[in-house]
Structures are given as structure tokens and as C-alpha cells.
Amino acid sequence: MSVFFDHRAGTNTSSVHTDIQWHPTFALLAVATKIDDADNEAQGAVSLFFDEGEPVEDINIQKNCAPTTMSWHPTRKILSVGWENGDITLWNEHEHEGSCASDGHKAPVNILSWSSNGTRLISGDERGVMIAWRCDSRGQLHQLQNYQKRSSYTHCIFRPVAGGQDPFYNNYTALARAAVEGDETALDMFGTWNKSGMGNSLLSQPGQMYAAESLSCYIGSEDGIIFHIDEKLVLRECANVETMIKSMLIYEAKNILVVVTTTMMLIQFSCAPDGSLSELMKVKLSGKSSITCVVWTGPGLMATVAGEDVVRLWDLDKDNNFSLGGALDQINCLTYSASKRILAGGLVNGKIAMWQHRAGSYAQEHWIVLPAIELSDSFIQIQWSPAHSLLAANNISDVIILNEQPISTSISVQSAVVQISPYHVQLETLDPPNILSIRTDIHIRGVSNSEDHVVLWNSKKIVVYEINEEKNFARLAGTFDIDSPLTAIYQQTVFTADTSSITARNFQGTIKQTMSLAEQEGIPISIDICGHYLVIATDNGFVKGWDISRRESRQYISPKNISESLPDTSLVTKVKINCNGTKIAIQLKKVNGEPDSRLLIWYVEQDILLGYDFSAGQTIHPISENGSADMDYEDLITGCFANPDQKGGVETAAVEQSNSEDVSRRYPREVLWDPLDPRLLVVQASPLSVDIADKSHIKKPTPTGVFRTKSSAEKKPELDDRIVSLFATADNGVLLHDSFPMEPGFHKLLGVSVPSFYFILQPEDVQKADGSISAVPNGNASSGETRTEGLKERVSAVTMRNFVGLEKSNSEVRQAMLDFAYHLTIGNLDEAFKAIKLIKSETVWENMAKMCVKTRRLDVAALCLGHMGHARGAQALRDSANEPELNARVAMLAIQLGMLEEAEQLYMSCGRYDLLNKLYQANNQWSKAIAVAERHDRIHLRSTYYNFARHCELSGDIGAAINGYEKSETHRFEVPRMLFENVQELEAYVIKSKDKKLLGWWAQYLESNGEMDSALQFYQAAEDIMSFVRIWCYCGRFDEAISIASNTNDRAACYHLARQLENQERFTEAVQFYGKAQAYTNATRLCRANQLDSELISYAMYSTEDDMVICARYYEETGANWDKAIMLYHKSGQVGKALELAFEHQQFTALQHITSNLDSSVEPETLHTCAQFFLEHQQYSKAVDLLLLAKKYLEALDICIDKHISITEDLAEQISPEKDAEPEYKRVLFERIGECCMLQGAYHLATKKFTQAGNRVKAMRALLKSGDTEKIIFFAGVSRQKEIYVMAANYLQRLDWRKDPEIMKNIITFYTKGRALESLSGFYDACAQVEIDEYQNYEKALGALSEALKCMNKAKMQDVSSQEAKINFLKRRISLLKKFVQARRTYEEDVDEAMKQCLLLLEEPDLDTGVRSGDIYGFMVEHYATAGDYQKAYHLVQELKQRLPNASLAYYVNNTVLEQIKRNVGLDEPTIGAAETPGIEEEIEEEIPEDFGF
């Protein structure tokens, strides 16, 4: 609740004010004026004004043309002004006349826009010229870029910084750099910086932060084209909306550009990082005329006005809209204050309408209409100051500055003072009630009062009034001029504050004492007096106190720096001292200006900080000087919650938790100590920011002061301030005592004095009939005017919960009750009852019992009920002890005390909706009971409806009773019972209900009265076919009965009809209807009795097994229809009997059918007999299946072998023996199966069966026959048997192992694992030969032979001589290979020696057993050919031909070498064929294209 001081800016009355602009940070208002005075040379001017309308001196911003636009620098006191002649004036606080830039524009300037940090300015004119300027640290403009376009520019908006920036930034380096560069604001901020965080002087300038800056912007033109200028000053066209742009806004959170055109089109563009735009949405806005104003009113929420008396809000996130009404006249303009969340609209009737957002979401229901401010004339422009509570309004002829200030209040022990208007306060005596109005001639900025005096002050003057003993007259006691932001009164002394001291003065301003403050302590920002003690807080976080009870004040508290004791950078805002000066409550705020949820209490004598955190709803542990918690004292605080009389203090903890939940997510708004008790502290806790708690549990004080809960119809989400009472003691710390919601009709908590809380009411009496508040102009109040008639109370007293009924009690009783509440809070029952043991009032005990509902102390409640003599309540309390939930037991106590709404809330809180349902029913609140049952207690929903119906029946409300019985599903019995006396009404209900059961019951009733025709109609309506047929049979009309039963096939009807037909000896029809009724036993009985053999089989097949046997015997006895007898025996499970008859009477078809359904449950002999039967008839597969069922596996296998029946996977599994069979039997059977599979070529299956038999060797042989290499390798690996390894290796060696290294590896591995070293040696020998023959790689061949020799040496052959021969042969081969390999290695070092070794090697007698002689000749020939000795090479070729006459020369010597030899020895024609052996010549000719004559 606030008051507005109106100040008229001192401007020329003959001028027209065209524009107003607030500075973003400072309280400076710029007013653009077009001067119509002919005597004045200047035709245009810009004036600057402070917050109270006082002009800034020595300002000379004038020209002989009118100003067209203005824009403030975002952080510095620099104003840019555009003029009609194209000039741009830049004013700053150092150059009062300002500098002029006239070299850029030649037409009226219509846009000026600064970047976020003010380093760049964009200007544009009506001819399409746009200029980008740089502003230096001295406030001078430097042109960066000039753009020329055809159309006029209308809008410019800079883009936000990518990713967003934290606006509050505490970097010393950046701030110092800005200060060094000449930014005086930064220099001021740097000077006011303190180590606890940003000081209050910094907080007063939230816009002066140094964050990253975006230099790109969007430009809107008159023809609807949108341009983008990037940081490099490149201009490009981005979009075209094809009509003139009315407004351009940027939705920073989603990087969306919002454009509103003059044709009322809303267009949204997505902004890309490079500045390009893509259209997201285009919609037509509604309104009577064109849109006149567009502003943001929240994240993604845009407000518009279009010649209407409502404001239309468009939610861009949710794509919906709504309107705000209550303006009662056309709205011309809008402005929104984000910090105050208030939207203001200027009306044509001279008023300013306001709407405030009060909740988390921005839905319509969270906006409230505030009282309008009545001024004069129609406003064309209004604007909130971004950083201050200032609202400027321009009605062309006048500019009015409205300075908003919260109403000033003060309270003493006997009286309270409330500000009514800027010049008017009201003094209300609390006991006895009395009202005194005081009017003065100063703008009241603050009030303070004592028992007999009232002090009013503003920034210039202090006025003191003396109040007479009757409190009906105020006399001016003194006045003096002083600029004191803080003032307080104590007896005959007025305490004032300045920047460095606290001064005690008399009522005429004479100084009585000065109490100085040290420079480091800072400037006083808060002052409070309680009892005989005064305390102050400074902007540097110091708290200091004095004892003012003596003639001269005495400092009794050493200054304490609270900021240094905090673990964060929160700032001290207010301090409150208790009545004996031992504890000081400290309120905080965060660096960004938001309220801090913590309330600190400084225990002066112990010098510790405790407190309560209202965001979490918990106690703050002691804070030491270094900001950490004192754990020893924490244990003391924790122990104070224990209840020695209860197990573990469970119930006390539950109470504490419940109360903590009530006060959580809030911050302390008002803090007050009781003026007489030093322990009691009361706080008004308001919701934090937009985190508003659900108001579904709001309680309101009734006129008697007792709190009640809102009914369901009244509950709706709205703001919820709570009044919280705390006890603060040195022994037990800070304890939460009680809390309750503040009534919406109250504005704020004013004071506390046991037994009452005092609240300020909403100012209804200052509201006029149309809901407006008149702003009082200067000079309209006489000094010191007082009156007492026709005044309304502004202060309301609410009795504390535990003092209801004791309002008039003496101080001893009040103190006893307060002690009782304190001891009850800490859980000390003994001391609590000692405090009140002398109180005899039943009202007191009842009140305490009611208080126990809040505190959940059932043990105390039991004693209170005993003192009250409330036997029924005591019994109910004992009976509720079985309820597991504490709140459920407390709810029973509340019910016994008549606190039904509290009981309702308790049941809801613990989720006991069943008990809540019973409570509603007992209280005849049936709508609530049904609602609870439908939503939360559905298990009792039907019983609730039934009880409601019984209630309505007893009340005579038959219609509601019927509805209740129907919903409880008991109407089929209860409604006939209720209406039985009124047959006609009952019949009408039955017909109307169309309930089949009711219709059937009514038909039975009519039948009992002999009204057969009517009964038939109701039976038919009820679809009761059985009763319908029964009546027809009773009447002898069997044809109608048969027709109905045949058409409906109702089983009951058919059975009844069949019985009746049997009685009439109409057996064939009876059998038919017995069949339709599925009474097959009766049907077969009649068939046998009446020789209906043809019908018998059809019903016997559906009958029971016993009936089937009886029917089968019947067929057997008749000696005919053997197949039917066999079928029935088989169907009944007597397979043996069925087979016996089939064999006996040669019923092959029946036998085939029986055997197809046989299983292992049939006796083996029977199965064997059937198998033999099929063998005889050459049905071998069927015989095998039966033998398998009989577990004759070997016999079945013999049949498969003899009769060539293919053994499949499934058949093999069937032949396989059971797991529990004898091992030897299993082995033999599996081997037989494997052998059979081998004969049939099923090698894989044979492998499996041999493996199951444990014969892995046979399994491997079967697998080898399959040729599945992969499975052979796998099986060998998992078998781990030598024989199997060798078998696998032998198999693999038959493959093309030369091309697959993996096979070669497996061969070596398997031979090694199989210990077949002789075979492995042979394999290595083969590998060596392959290396020689195919690759001429004698080195690898030598290695392979070496391995072969090793294996042969290790082998253990039975023929030792043969082993020795093989070893010697391998050694001889290795020797020859080594010589040739050595010769080839020697060649690189000594060629002659190598040739000599080769010649010696050729002389070896058994050379070709180890080395191919052709390879030696080829080696030598290539050497001599390379050396140029072609004759020698030719000679060696001839020797090679002689030694290997049938060999191909090209196999040993390269073709190119042979060509060189031929050419160099002069052989032009072939003389000797390449080969003499027939058939070889052609092959050689293919390899050697030309015969060289060798």
C-alpha cells in the first residue's frame, strides 16, 4: 500500500511537451518541449528534472527548431536529442550546453537508439539517412558509417547479448578499467565498493553493470522493411512486412523479434545468429481502432491498447490472449514497471489506471486492479522510471511526476499512527479506541510516535505534535528544518541521523547530544527504539546500540559488522531491538536487491548470530565470526525440541515440520518485538518472488478473532502472507511458535502487544465511488489541522490464538499464558503447567485445548479436557489413539472442541479422506462428502451415496433419495421398499427405470396377484424368457412356448419347456429342448428309454464320461452300431475297451482314429498290439510311432533299419532314451541310432548320437564323412582326444592348406596335441617342398625342414631303423639347403666365392633330394649375365639343358636374361630346341615366346 506525491515539472505554460524520457539508472527526467512563445527566440528545448519536479540548474539545450526524439545513455548521464533540422545534441553532466553533431542529417531525426553499454548510437531521419556513431569516454560522438535509403526509419532495437548475461557483476578489474577510462559512474561505484559485496549505493544503480555488449541491431522503416546492422556495420535487408511498423520488440528469452504493424498484424520472426529473420507466426490483433501502444508486461507477455477501455495481453509462449478491464474509460498509453510488476495506463479522463501482477504465472486471474490515480486532462504519454518508484505523465500542457512511497506507520504501547495521504496521518488510540486526524503542510516521508507525541518528517523538515491525555487533540510542539532520512522519538527527545552521526534533539531542534559514527562504520540506513534502547544499522553492515534511558545516551553495544559474519554478500536493511536490549533482529537483502529469506537475531550478551530461514522453514544455526556454524551450540538448539514426556519427541517434531511447511518459501517482510516480553518476536512472512504457495488452506479471522478456514467455494489461488510468531532465548535459540495466514483485508502487520496483533487495513475510505485515489496537490492542507469526527479505523486488532477469552485479563495472567506457550513450544510440560496452575477459568482451558489443535499436543489436550469437564471429548480422544496418523487424532480433538474446519484441514493433510468423509456426513455436508468420496475415498463411495439417500428419505426428499440409492446400486431393494405404500408411483418408477431386475420383480408381483397378461408384458420387458415360457406352459399354450424357446435359445426356458414336454410324453421335442438347454444327461436318458438311437450319439458326445460309458454299453448290448460304441468308449477314456472292440469286430476306421490320438498314458501292451497290427498292414511309420509310445526303442529302431524309414531329427529325439535310463542301455541305443544315421547318410545326426553315446571317435568319423570343415575343427577342439586330433589333422591335410594359413595352423596344432610327431614331421617336409617348388624360398624351406627334423627326433616310432633313416635323410636335405642358402648369402659379399660354392654344390651326388640343380644354374646364369659374361652364361645354360633335358629353361632363368644371352652370343636363329620330349615343346613355346637356339 502506497501513496503518490505529485510534482509538476516547472515548465513553460505556453509550451507543448512532445516527449518525456526517464534515465535508465538515475532519477532524471528529460522533457522535450516545443515553445509557442513568440517572444522567445528558441522554438524547441529539452529540460531535465529531479524526482520532485525540481529542474536541473544550468541546463541550456535549446534550438530554433523543435526536438523530435530523445534517448538516454544506458549507464551515464548523457542525453542524445534529435532536432527537426537534423542536428543531434549530446548533453552530459559536465558540458551543460552539450555538443552538437550537425554534419550527418539534413532532415528531422526520428530515431536515436543506444547499445546496451552505450558505446554505439544509431540515428535515423525521415529522408532515409542512417548513421552509426561511436561514443567515447568523454561523451563525444564519432561517425562510423553512413547509410542512404529511400524511406524513413521508424524503429531501432539492439539485439540482446547471446546467451544472456548476469546483470550483477562484481569484478574489480573490469570496474577499475572502466573508471580509469573516464567513466565517472564506474569511479563512483568503485569508491563505494566494500569487501562484503556491492554497497547500497551500487544497488541504487542496478543498470550500471559492465557486461558483454551486443552491437548488432534491427531497423524498421516506414514502408515495412526490416534491416539488420551487424557488429561490423554491414547493413542488409532481412524481412518485409509490407506496411508501416507500429512497434518492434525483442523477446530475449527465445531470441524472437516481434513486429506490430499499423494494420494490427502481429508477426513473429526467429532471429538467426547472423541476423537473418525467418517468419514464425502471423496473426491479426483485435481492437476498435489502430493500436496506439505496445509494451512488454512479462516474459513473452505483450500488452496493447487500441482505443478501448481494456488492455489486451498476448501470451506469445502459450499462443493465447486475455484482457484486463476496470479502467472505465478509453486508454491512450501504457507503461510497465518490471520491478513493481505494475502496468499503468493513461486515460482520456485524466486518470491513471493500474493493474498489478500478484502470482507466479501471468494468467488473467493473477492480475488485480489497483485504485486509479486521479489527476487532470488526458494523457498522451506515461512512463515508469526503470530504477525508481517514479511515474511521469505527460498531458501536453503539463508534466507530472508521481513519486510513490509506501505509507508511513508507527506504533507505541498505547497508540498507532497511519499515513492516509501525503499530508495526512491518523492517530488511533488502541485502548480505549479513539481516532485523531492530523493534517500538515509537508510531504510526509516518515512518522514516529511515543505515548504523548507524534513526529512527522520529510527530507527538509521535522514537525512534532503533542497529544493531550484524552487523545482527541494534537498541538504543534515544535518544528525545525533538517535533512534527516531517519528519525525516531523517545519521550522528549527526537533522534535524527546524518551521514556520520546520530543526534539527539529537543522538539525545537536544539542538539542535546551527538553520537558519532566511525568512517568505516558507514551511513545509517535503519533506526529503531524499543523500551529504553536505540539501535541503528549502517550501509556497511554495522549494528550499534545505545541505552537512552538516562539524560545522556550510553553506548552499551560494541559495533558489530554483520556483513563480515555472513557466509555470503547479503546486505543489512533493517534492525529491530527487543525491550531489554539483549537481542536485535536483522533483516537482509541480496546484492541484486531481492529480499533475503533469512532473519538473523544477534544475541548481544553471548555475541552470537542465530535466526530463522523462511525459505526452508528452519532454524539457522549459530554463525561465528568466520561465517561457520557453532556445532556445540547447534546441539543445544537441537535438544530443545525433544519432549521428555513422549517417545523421541515424535509428535513435537511433527508439529515443527507442519509449521515449517506453512512458513516455507517466504521472506520476512515486517519484524516486530513485543514491547514488554523480550522473547516474543512476530514476523509477517511474504511469498518469495513468484513462488506463491497454494491458498487452499487459507484461514481468516472472524470478527471475534477466532480463526476459521475458507470454505471450498471461497478457495482460490492468491497471495498468502503469514503471521509467524517466534520465541528467541539464549538457552533454546530461535523456536517457531505459531503461524497463521493474514486476512486479505489487512495490508500489513503494524505491531504486537500481548494479547493482540495489530494490522493496518486496506485504505477503503480514501477510495471514491469510482475506485480512484485523489493525489493531494501541494499546499492544500493547513498546518496542524486535527479532527476526530467521521473517521474510520485503519488499525485492526486480532487476539492471539492462546489469549482468546483473556483479552481483559491482568498482566499476571497474560504473563502466565505467555510462559505457558513458551514452555509448551520447547516441550517442557512441567514448567508449562506450573505457569498456569493458578488459572481457574474454564474459558482459558478451552482456549488452551484449542491451541493444542495447532500445536498437536494431545497429552496437554487431555489435561485441558479434564479441567473443562469434557468427558465425551476425553473419551473420544482415548478412542482415537488407535489411529496411526497424529493429525487424525488431533482432528478428533478439534471435532470435540467444535473446530470442524480445522479438523477438515487436518484430515486432508494426513490423507485420511475416509474420516473426512464421515465428518462431512455427520455434519450434513453431503455435497462435500460426496466430492471427497468421488475423488479420494472411492472405496466408500457407494456407502456415502447410500447414507445420503437414507438422509434424504428421512428428510422427505424422495427424488434425491432415489438418486442416492441408484448411485449406491441399492435401488433394486431400497426404492421398492420406500415406495411400496404408493403402488402407482412404484410402478411408474419401475417402468421409467427400465432396470431388468426391477421389471422382473414387478412382473413376479403382478403374477402373484393373478395379473398374468400384465406380468407377461413386464417379463418381456425384463427379457426374462424363462418366466415368459413358464407362464405359457402354465396356461397350456405349448406352441407359443416352443416358438419363444426356439427363437431365443434361453437355456433355462428350454429346460423348463423340456420338462413340461416330457410330462406331456412329447419325448422327441423334449429331447430337442434338453439339448438346447445343454442338459445332455436328461437328453440321453430319454433317448435310451425311447429307443431314439439316431439322436442318442449326438447328445452322448457332449455328455459326461459316465453318460458316455452308459450309452456305449447301450450300443454294445443292442449288438449294432459297434463304431458308435467304440467312439464313446474312446471319448470316455476307456481306450483299452475301445481297442478291444475294434480288434474284435475289425473296425479298422475306428482303430485308425483311436491310434491317432494315443499317447504315453495308454498301457504299453495295448500300444504294442496296435503296432503289430500296423506292421501287418505295412504301415511302418505308424507302427514305429506306437512302439516309441510304448518305449520299445530298439524294436522301433530295427523297423527303421529294416524298412528304410528315414530317421529325422525329431524321430531321433523320440527314439532317444529317457534321462533316467540305465547308462549301458543309453550307450547301446545311442550307438544304434548313430549307426543307422550313418547308413542313411545323416552324418551330423550320427555325430550327435555317437557323442551322446560317449563314443567321440565314431562321432568324428561321422563328422569327417560330412566334410563340414568348420564343425570338424570345432569338434576336435572340444573333444581333446589324441586320436581325434590326428583324424582332424589328416582330414585337413587333404584340403588345400597352401592357400589357407588358418588350416595350416590347425594341422600343426592338432598333430601337436595328438602327439603324432611323425605325421607332423611329414607335414613340415611337405611344406618345405612347397616352398622350394612353388616359391623357390629356400630360407623358409630350411626352417620347415628344421622343424620336421625336430619332430622326427622327438617321435617314438616302433621301427627305430626306419626312424634313423628318415632322420639321416632330413639331415642330408638340410645340409644341402644350408649350403645353397649360404652361397646365396655369400654372393652379396664375395661373388667368386659364391660361384665356387655353387659349382661344388652341383657336384653333390644326391643334390636334387635337397636342392633343385636348376635353381643353382639359374642363380649362376643370372649372375654372369648381369656381369656381362654372356659366354659363360651361355655355357651354363647348355649344362642345364644337358642335366635337365626335359625341364623348361624359363622355370629357372628369367626370360629377359635369356633374351640378353641370345642377343649377345650372336644366335639369330634357333639351333637347339627348347625341349626334345614330345609334347613339351608346345608348352615351352607358350612360356618362351621365342626359341633362343639353346
Side-chain angles (χ1 to χ4, degrees), residues 427 429 434 436 451-453 465-475 788:
L427 174 67
T429 305
N434 185 55
L436 177 64
E451 186 174 353
D452 300 321
H453 296 86
Y465 291 94
E466 181 179 358
I467 312 301
N468 63 353
E469 293 184 2
E470 291 76 18
K471 308 297 183 184
N472 57 6
F473 181 76
R475 181 184 65 85
T788 59

Side-chain angles (χ1 to χ4, degrees), residues 912-927:
R912 290 302 301 270
Y913 294 100
D914 55 336
L915 298 178
L916 178 62
N917 187 359
K918 290 182 179 180
L919 173 62
Y920 285 147
Q921 292 184 40
N923 203 30
N924 282 338
Q925 293 179 297
W926 291 103
S927 59

Side-chain angles (χ1 to χ4, degrees), residues 302-321:
M302 185 179 71
T304 64
V305 290
E308 300 174 297
D309 59 355
V310 296
V311 179
R312 299 187 183 274
L313 278 78
W314 309 85
D315 193 333
L316 304 185
D317 287 335
K318 299 180 180 178
D319 195 20
N320 61 5
N321 63 87

Side-chain angles (χ1 to χ4, degrees), residues 557-574:
I557 299 176
S558 299
K560 182 178 181 65
N561 192 336
I562 302 299
S563 299
E564 289 184 349
S565 300
L566 297 176
D568 52 21
T569 57
S570 295
L571 308 174
V572 177
T573 57
K574 289 183 182 180

Side-chain angles (χ1 to χ4, degrees), residues 949 958-980 982-1002 1018:
I958 302 301
I962 291 174
N963 186 45
Y965 285 133
E966 288 176 346
K967 290 184 177 180
S968 67
E969 299 181 13
T970 59
H971 59 287
R972 297 181 181 89
F973 172 77
E974 295 294 342
V975 174
R977 175 194 57 77
M978 181 174 62
L979 301 178
F980 196 73
N982 191 339
V983 177
Q984 293 181 350
E985 187 174 350
L986 176 56
E987 182 177 6
Y989 171 75
V990 170
I991 295 172
K992 183 180 178 180
S993 67
K994 298 181 181 180
D995 186 279
K996 293 181 180 179
K997 292 185 177 180
L998 277 178
L999 290 168
W1001 173 82
W1002 185 248
F1018 279 96

Side-chain angles (χ1 to χ4, degrees), residues 131-196:
I131 302 175
W133 308 82
R134 178 178 65 84
C135 180
D136 61 19
S137 59
R138 296 173 300 171
Q140 301 295 320
L141 291 180
H142 305 276
Q143 189 174 137
L144 297 175
Q145 187 70 37
N146 190 305
Y147 308 93
Q148 300 285 337
K149 295 292 179 180
R150 291 191 298 254
S151 60
S152 171
Y153 299 109
T154 57
H155 295 83
C156 175
I157 183 167
F158 277 85
R159 298 185 64 184
V161 178
Q165 294 287 333
D166 184 2
F168 295 95
Y169 151 93
N170 55 356
N171 189 310
Y172 279 95
T173 305
L175 196 62
R177 187 183 299 113
V180 170
E181 290 177 354
D183 189 337
E184 295 191 4
T185 302
L187 187 61
D188 293 340
M189 293 164 64
F190 192 78
T192 57
W193 201 295
N194 57 58
K195 61 183 177 181
S196 64

